[in-house]
Amino acid sequence: MSVSDSPRVGAPAWRSLSSALARPRLFACLDRCSTLTVIDAPPGFGKRTLVAGWLHRGGAPDHTIVWVPELTASGDGDLPERVLEVLVDHPAVEVATDGPDDSPFERVVGTFRDLESPCLLVLACVSPQNSAEVLEGTLRLLDHCPRLDAIVCLPGNSTDMTEVVLRGIDSTYVPAADLAFTVEETTTLLRDAGPERSDSECEVVCRVLGGVPTLVWAAAVVARSRPQRLIDSRGLPTPALARLVRTYVENRLDELDDAHREFAFSVAAAHSVTADRAAELTGAADAEASLAMLAAAGLVMDSPFDDPRTWRWPDAVRSCVLDISRREHPGRVDALLVELARAHRDAGKPAEASIYAVEAGDWETAVAIVEESWARMVDSSFDVLVKVLRQIPDQELGDHPSVQAGRALFTQMLDEHSILHASLPTDPDELAELGKTPGAAQAVYVATVQTLTLRVSGEFGEAARLTLLLRPLVHSILEHRPDDLGPQLPLLRVQWAITLQLAGYLTESTTVFRRAYRGAYAASIAFVIQNAAGSSALNWAVTGDNPRAREWLRTESNAEPTEGRWGEMVKVGGRVASTLVHLDSLELDRAVGYLDELGVPRVSEELWGFVAYGRACYNLATGNAYDGLTELHRLIASHHDLFDRGAFSRILLGAAEIDLQLALGNGNLARALAEEAPQNHPMLVVTNARVELFTGHPDVALKKLKRVPWTECGFPRAHLEALLVEASAHLDLDEKDAAVRSWQRARTLAEALGNRRAFTTLAEGVAGRLAELGGPIGPDEAIGSVFTEPVTHVELSRRETDVLELLALGSTHADIAKKLFVSHNTIKTQLRSIYRKLGVHTRVEAIGRARDLRLLPVRRSL
């Protein structure tokens, strides 16, 4: 919404107002049209812009606006005089006649009473020296003028509103904290300013600048001319923005007297302070009043609704004040930071303590805090942990392998980190002996970072191999040196389990997830508890063991919800598991609810393949095979670097794509995909057999199913579907007794698993025929097939394929006859057969159609 072309009478308009950010949440506060609205914030917070923008956008439409731009008087007795001056020049107001004994107050009251419409008085700029008196004078006017409302812009010194409350006046109070820009508003400003900015960068800019409107506008100005990032890796403004922040800070400090300037230098040691903590740091007699002065200067922000009342520094502002303090008083503020680190550590607040230790350069304390509170900080203060790890110098970590490994992992310094060049023994006995030594824990940390490096680069098979190698080493450590791994073990285990899961080692992964869950439960690490439970459910759901999946989903639902950074991430496994479980029971509405919560997986989502599999299964079950195939190809393309070299997603999505192609009737494409896929995984064996069945080869389907020992394969859903393929193939071969045996075993297994969806994989009408022979599926109505399209499958003879390949190479009919040692008429006959089978009429059409059907291999020798 833009400012109206017709300026509001009585409200000022200036050039920048037309480009000011619309702020609906604050406009809503003003739209209440309270009798008194107090906006209490220091200069630079956009009080005047907010009110003027609201008025020009249609705020208070029935009111006559009286805008008083500045109040420099020293008492409430001068307020009526200044208001009267504005009324005299107002184009829409006729000032009451001046009687011989009328005071300015009486004339103002008379004028407001004579107006036909209600009036809104805006006191747009009140100085700190007379804010209390002006507020009292405003209340006096409101008492005498029933149709008058007022907006008073105070200077941010938190004027006492007690009198307003006691009088029962309808009021709205807007503190500086409410005027600060939100992340969404900051994002809008930065993206409107120039090059596209990521959500994460905009969020960091807002946090570092504290949402202070003047500073955020400065960031937008810098963004307009500079495409690079605005905040560096240490969380500090980059040079161009830093200069503007420093100018802002220096100007604000210059407004303070010497005593309050010194107070600011000391209290800046704390990120946020109460009056009591400020008194401890500075020795000030009236710390609350001094903090109010800093707030009025625009250096700190508070909310009067906090209990206890707390003042907070914007990060960038505090950094500038600390720099100036160190320059003017070397050592003083660092001593205060050390004391704050000690106090927070003693109070059981490791995140806050570590930050203060780093700021003081007390590396020994910082490392000790991280080492003793690593698991807790990953759970509840991950961003702080990363910030601390980034700033600890390398030379301080030589004797602290766990911190060294943690930094390599969490600060994404993986490619160049020296610990990646170490290697583990491969012999189990050597690993067991290593587990008895003091360096065993370091070996575990190093190997874990190595597996994660491999995982990030898409080398899932090698990552899983190295993870499995850790088993004898960890077992030995727990037997001989159990305290060496300490509270980090559940965190390590959940990472090992994820690595195995992504590589398709689901049985091993489930075992490690279970151990991670138990350890995290004992240590109260909430995000590991939820992650391990949900991921265990996912493993069971992918295999099709729905009873066990439901058991772990109940466990996950009973866990303490995880908030913050890990909140959504740890829910992915459980949501995919819930999707698959409900799909198997054909509860499609419930399944799609979980898919909606999951959304489209981001590029950074490690479980993207599981999410994509759930979405593909839903599209297949609901008859949307074309949409499912399109979405599947799009997701594979956006995650192509994680779709190779041992990724379990190739198995999952390969099986899903084959079934989607069958559902679309594309028999040749389904067969080509089946031949390209690994031939020994149960999920792919059953889809491969289904392709043979649907393309008229039931005997081949039965032969392929014999590759897997189904009762021992660990994939009961694939086992169930294999039994149904068997039953259908035997039926096609008129082997009714064998068909009934497979059908009845399938019914029993389906009931145990709670799986009805498997019956949708039968061809249309087959379930009914099998039910007549071997009993119905269950008491419910008949279940339809997802393969409703007739499957089209073109088969060429070997000689026809040879002719087609030469045709695609551009050979003439004579050349083809010569190369294949046959007559020209034979080639013509074979071409007619090829054209008939492909449903085409020309060479070009034949080659195109053959490529579409995957009948032309990439290269083949004759």
Side-chain angles (χ1 to χ4, degrees), residues 517-694:
Y517 172 84
R518 290 172 179 170
Y521 188 84
S524 299
I525 307 175
F527 85 97
V528 176
I529 293 172
Q530 191 168 17
N531 195 348
S535 295
S536 295
L538 175 59
N539 286 348
W540 290 118
V542 167
T543 65
D545 193 332
N546 294 327
R548 289 183 178 175
R550 290 182 184 276
E551 179 182 344
W552 277 104
L553 286 172
R554 285 193 294 271
T555 301
E556 182 199 33
S557 67
N558 293 329
E560 178 184 350
T562 302
E563 305 297 338
R565 179 185 184 90
W566 308 113
E568 290 301 306
M569 187 183 304
V570 300
K571 297 174 185 174
V572 173
R575 287 171 175 170
V576 178
S578 297
T579 299
L580 296 176
V581 167
H582 289 302
L583 281 176
D584 275 356
S585 58
L586 292 183
E587 298 171 307
L588 302 182
D589 290 343
R590 298 191 67 180
V592 76
Y594 288 103
L595 287 176
D596 288 343
E597 290 179 354
L598 285 164
V600 178
R602 297 174 299 176
V603 174
S604 60
E605 175 54 64
E606 285 198 295
L607 295 180
W608 73 272
F610 294 85
V611 179
Y613 177 68
R615 299 182 75 88
C617 290
Y618 175 79
N619 280 310
L620 181 65
T622 54
N624 295 306
Y626 181 81
D627 292 342
L629 195 61
T630 301
E631 182 179 48
L632 187 64
H633 289 164
R634 186 171 64 249
L635 288 173
I636 291 173
S638 63
H639 296 83
H640 63 91
D641 54 329
L642 301 175
F643 195 62
D644 202 356
R645 295 168 290 190
F648 185 50
S649 57
R650 292 190 69 85
I651 303 295
L652 285 175
L653 304 187
E657 185 173 8
I658 291 170
D659 277 344
L660 288 169
Q661 293 287 7
L662 278 181
L664 291 171
N666 300 327
N668 283 85
L669 292 179
R671 176 180 289 279
L673 290 169
E675 290 174 351
E676 294 169 1
Q679 300 296 304
N680 58 351
H681 194 281
M683 294 182 70
L684 289 170
V685 169
V686 74
T687 52
N688 201 335
R690 187 152 46 236
V691 170
E692 297 293 349
L693 177 66
F694 276 77

Side-chain angles (χ1 to χ4, degrees), residues 37-58:
T37 300
V38 174
I39 305 176
D40 194 12
F45 275 70
K47 301 185 294 292
R48 294 189 315 132
T49 298
L50 172 67
V51 178
W54 171 67
L55 291 172
H56 287 299
R57 286 174 171 84

Side-chain angles (χ1 to χ4, degrees), residues 757-780:
R757 178 164 66 105
F759 294 99
T760 68
T761 63
L762 291 167
E764 194 71 38
V766 171
R769 292 168 59 197
L770 288 168
E772 290 176 0
L773 294 172
I777 297 170
D780 298 325

Side-chain angles (χ1 to χ4, degrees), residues 37-357:
T37 300
V38 174
I39 305 176
D40 194 12
F45 275 70
K47 301 185 294 292
R48 294 189 315 132
T49 298
L50 172 67
V51 178
W54 171 67
L55 291 172
H56 287 299
R57 286 174 171 84
D62 300 327
H63 287 64
T64 297
I65 308 304
V66 178
W67 184 283
V68 180
E70 190 175 9
L71 278 168
T72 57
S74 59
D76 71 319
D78 295 314
L79 174 62
E81 292 183 1
R82 186 70 182 101
V83 175
L84 186 60
E85 291 175 10
V86 173
L87 289 173
V88 168
D89 295 331
H90 199 291
V93 174
E94 183 176 343
V95 180
T97 305
D98 184 6
D101 298 323
D102 286 349
S103 66
F105 176 79
E106 290 169 334
R107 292 187 65 194
V108 169
V109 170
T111 301
F112 286 145
R113 284 179 173 174
D114 291 342
L115 288 174
E116 295 181 1
S117 62
C119 184
L120 176 62
L121 174 65
V122 180
L123 305 181
C125 184
V126 179
S127 66
Q129 292 76 18
N130 68 335
S131 57
E133 292 84 354
V134 168
L135 184 58
E136 176 59 34
T138 304
L139 293 176
R140 187 178 171 214
L141 282 174
L142 293 174
D143 285 341
H144 287 79
C145 304
R147 304 186 70 197
L148 175 67
D149 296 332
I151 296 177
V152 182
C153 298
L154 297 180
N157 56 351
S158 303
T159 301
D160 189 358
M161 295 284 290
T162 304
E163 182 64 23
V164 176
V165 175
L166 292 177
R167 289 194 188 192
I169 294 175
D170 174 31
S171 62
T172 297
Y173 181 77
V174 183
D178 287 354
L179 284 176
F181 282 151
T182 63
V183 173
E184 292 75 16
E185 291 168 338
T186 301
T187 301
T188 299
L189 272 179
L190 293 181
R191 288 181 175 169
D192 288 348
E196 181 72 13
R197 302 278 169 176
S198 67
D199 290 342
S200 59
E201 182 182 5
C202 295
E203 181 179 355
V204 171
V205 169
C206 183
R207 176 178 55 77
V208 170
L209 300 181
V212 175
T214 295
L215 297 181
V216 176
W217 274 109
V221 171
V222 174
R224 190 171 293 118
S225 57
R226 291 172 173 82
Q228 65 266 30
R229 290 182 63 86
L230 299 168
I231 306 295
D232 65 22
S233 60
R234 298 172 300 159
L236 299 175
T238 47
L241 180 57
R243 285 193 293 271
L244 295 173
V245 174
R246 180 170 291 277
T247 299
Y248 172 87
V249 170
E250 290 175 343
N251 289 340
R252 296 298 184 267
L253 287 172
D254 288 344
E255 295 174 2
L256 302 173
D257 58 32
D258 290 344
H260 287 105
R261 183 182 173 91
E262 294 301 314
F263 176 86
F265 287 158
S266 294
V267 84
H271 293 88
S272 61
V273 289
T274 61
D276 289 343
R277 175 52 61 86
E280 293 173 7
L281 289 171
T282 66
D286 191 352
E288 185 166 355
S290 296
L291 288 167
M293 285 295 294
L294 298 190
L299 293 169
V300 297
M301 282 188 289
D302 78 306
S303 171
F305 308 118
D306 287 342
D307 186 21
R309 192 168 184 175
T310 303
W311 286 261
R312 297 172 177 82
W313 291 90
D315 289 349
V317 172
R318 176 174 175 268
S319 294
C320 283
V321 176
L322 285 176
D323 288 344
I324 298 170
S325 177
R326 287 189 175 105
R327 188 171 63 244
E328 297 190 11
H329 305 286
R332 185 173 77 180
V333 75
D334 290 322
L336 293 173
L337 288 167
V338 169
E339 175 58 26
L340 285 168
R342 182 200 61 75
H344 281 84
R345 188 180 184 185
D346 291 345
K349 299 178 179 178
E352 295 88 337
S354 63
I355 283 290
Y356 285 126

